[in-house]
Amino acid sequence: MPRPKKKAPGLCVGVVGASGMVGRELLAVLEKSRFPVGDLKVFSSGRGVKSLLFRGRRLPLSAPSLSALRGCRLAFFVSSDEVSRRWAPALAAAGVWVIDDSSAFRLDPRVPLIIPEINAAALRPHRRLIAGPNCTMSGLGLAAAALDRTAGLKEVRAASYQAVSGAGQAALRELLFQARSVTGRLRAERADRFAPALRSLRAGVLPRAIAFNAVPQVGGFAADGYSGEELKVAAELRKVLGAPRLSVSVTAVRVPTLRGHALAAWLGFKRPLSVARARAALKNAPGVVMMSPSDYPTPAGCAGRTEAFVGRLRRGARANEIALWVVSDNLLKGAASNSLQIAQELLRRGWL
Ligand SMILES: NC(=O)c1ccc[n+]([C@@H]2O[C@H](COP(=O)([O-])OP(=O)(O)OC[C@H]3O[C@@H](n4cnc5c(N)ncnc54)[C@H](OP(=O)(O)O)[C@@H]3O)[C@@H](O)[C@H]2O)c1
């Protein structure tokens, strides 16, 4: 007689979008963590790869279904706004804790938008649908929160340098394809040939060709000229910091880096703030690595790290203004590791 299957100890956890870029990072951080995953159910579109490895076991990927997801205690959504809208509220209403990395619910007043180092206190036992932040905002948010506590943040101006992985697998594929198609034809000593080669690249997933380029459009443009990403960063920063009147102006730019979003930011304060005090505050801030004055972070240097790295700290041109450069890995602190931290916080509180 076959023996009954031994039930794995730990929680039943679902990951919707497990085969995507954030999904794979999430599986990797869960695997490395001591988070008590018992059964892991992984979901995808059903059209791509058929299985994934987790802790040495091969798990079959399938399209999500309410019946399979309802058996989970916790579900991570790392797929798309549309998929999250379709499944996440119903699951949360059915008692499953849902941590959603899409932008579908981030600004919903009933949904806590959480960066645990900043606002874990906003978690509530009856709010089972929880949103993770926009990946461009998370690093800036950590630095801004630390300085806000010190001198009262009044204004944020920033320009982002966003990696292509922030736009998903298809965009990354497009960058690699375009880069190969150009590098095969060019030699450094013949810069005169670059212009036609660059102009011959065609846009696909992103609004312009991204290889060897910088594209000042992330998302669609609103009537006031701001892009979707710029508006998200501003609105989410206000929500996470609990500062509805914070003045924010961002220019979001996609650059052909692979992973890691960087921002040059100018932060204005209500009270005087010296560079030395700002440096001390950032050194002590949870989740922040303050680089030494002789060093600075880069997206490549921060790839695979879960903290936000700050460098180039200096006085701004205005009174009570600090200028800085902040870099964080969009797939980790911008999504997967932040979501795991939220789950760990729920566990610590005994809510899972
Ligand atoms: N990339 C980032 O830096 C980042 C940062 C923060 C938040 N986010 C958010 O995280 C989510 C995932 O982003 P990503 O960059 O990982 O995207 P991605 O690489 O394009 O992956 C998308 C995932 O969703 C799955 N999927 C597609 N349609 C589905 C459906 N109908 N039902 C179930 N699964 C479906 C895909 O499955 P297949 O493999 O089968 O196609 C894949 O696993 C998005 O909501 C994004 O806004 C991304």
Side-chain angles (χ1 to χ4, degrees):
M1 209 170 106
R3 275 206 218 148
K5 241 187 181 174
K6 216 170 138 195
K7 206 171 170 344
L11 302 169
C12 178
V13 175
V15 179
V16 179
S19 54
M21 270 187 314
V22 175
R24 286 171 189 268
E25 291 293 335
L26 185 59
L27 261 48
V29 291
L30 272 171
E31 193 161 63
K32 276 187 242 147
S33 77
R34 300 165 68 120
F35 193 80
V37 181
D39 283 337
L40 183 69
K41 298 181 180 177
V42 287
F43 305 92
S44 68
S45 71
R47 296 182 296 270
V49 291
K50 298 294 172 222
S51 65
L52 290 170
L53 265 182
F54 182 75
R55 292 186 177 155
R57 282 182 296 150
R58 189 153 284 286
L59 306 176
L61 276 160
S62 59
S65 75
L66 204 53
S67 57
L69 279 162
R70 279 173 78 144
C72 297
R73 186 80 184 120
L74 166 71
F76 294 97
F77 275 73
V78 287
S79 177
S80 68
D81 287 7
E82 194 194 348
V83 170
S84 292
R85 278 200 194 96
R86 177 157 176 215
W87 303 103
L91 272 183
V96 178
W97 284 94
V98 176
I99 300 176
D100 180 29
D101 274 330
S102 83
S103 60
F105 302 103
R106 289 180 191 147
L107 299 179
D108 184 326
R110 292 161 302 181
V111 176
L113 171 63
I114 302 291
I115 297 179
E117 295 91 337
I118 302 176
N119 66 339
L123 291 167
R124 296 281 178 274
H126 59 286
R127 299 265 190 234
R128 293 193 174 222
L129 173 52
I130 300 161
N134 173 285
C135 47
T136 312
M137 192 277 274
S138 52
L140 176 64
L142 282 172
L147 298 178
D148 182 34
R149 290 190 290 270
T150 310
L153 189 64
K154 195 173 72 176
E155 182 188 43
V156 175
R157 292 179 297 133
S160 71
Y161 303 73
Q162 300 184 212
V164 173
S165 61
Q169 252 165 11
L172 202 53
R173 229 174 272 131
E174 189 165 290
L175 165 63
L176 297 176
F177 174 80
Q178 291 172 354
R180 280 189 208 111
S181 86
V182 173
T183 50
R185 287 186 277 152
L186 295 180
R187 291 207 319 269
E189 63 274 18
R190 295 303 308 267
D192 55 320
R193 299 208 178 140
F194 290 3
L198 291 172
R199 280 202 306 267
S200 73
L201 291 174
R202 291 283 158 260
V205 181
L206 297 173
R208 296 282 191 280
I210 187 63
F212 308 106
N213 211 356
V215 180
Q217 179 183 1
V218 183
F221 288 117
D224 61 3
Y226 279 90
S227 71
E229 183 82 343
E230 291 159 357
L231 295 173
K232 278 186 212 170
V233 171
E236 292 183 27
L237 202 51
R238 291 186 191 108
K239 182 167 175 178
V240 165
L241 296 177
R245 281 190 293 279
L246 184 70
S247 161
V248 186
S249 176
V250 179
T251 298
V253 183
R254 186 78 65 194
V255 294
T257 49
L258 299 179
R259 62 189 284 173
H261 289 352
L263 292 105
W266 292 261
L267 308 183
F269 296 92
K270 295 173 191 155
R271 301 185 290 279
L273 179 63
S274 68
V275 172
R277 269 184 71 223
R279 176 174 293 285
L282 288 164
K283 248 185 173 166
N284 291 324
V288 174
V289 176
M290 181 69 236
M291 308 288 285
S292 75
S294 60
D295 202 1
Y296 53 78
T298 64
C302 300
R305 299 287 301 263
T306 57
E307 311 94 322
F309 293 77
V310 179
R312 303 288 326 276
L313 202 65
R314 60 213 192 275
R315 275 180 53 183
R318 302 185 192 187
N320 301 346
E321 187 181 64
I322 292 285
L324 55 80
W325 170 252
V326 57
V327 183
S328 60
D329 189 319
N330 52 298
L331 298 174
L332 289 171
K333 190 58 194 166
S337 63
N338 193 71
S339 290
L340 175 59
Q341 274 179 283
I342 296 172
Q344 285 165 329
E345 183 62 31
L346 297 177
L347 192 68
R348 201 182 62 75
R349 292 173 184 217
W351 294 354
L352 276 178

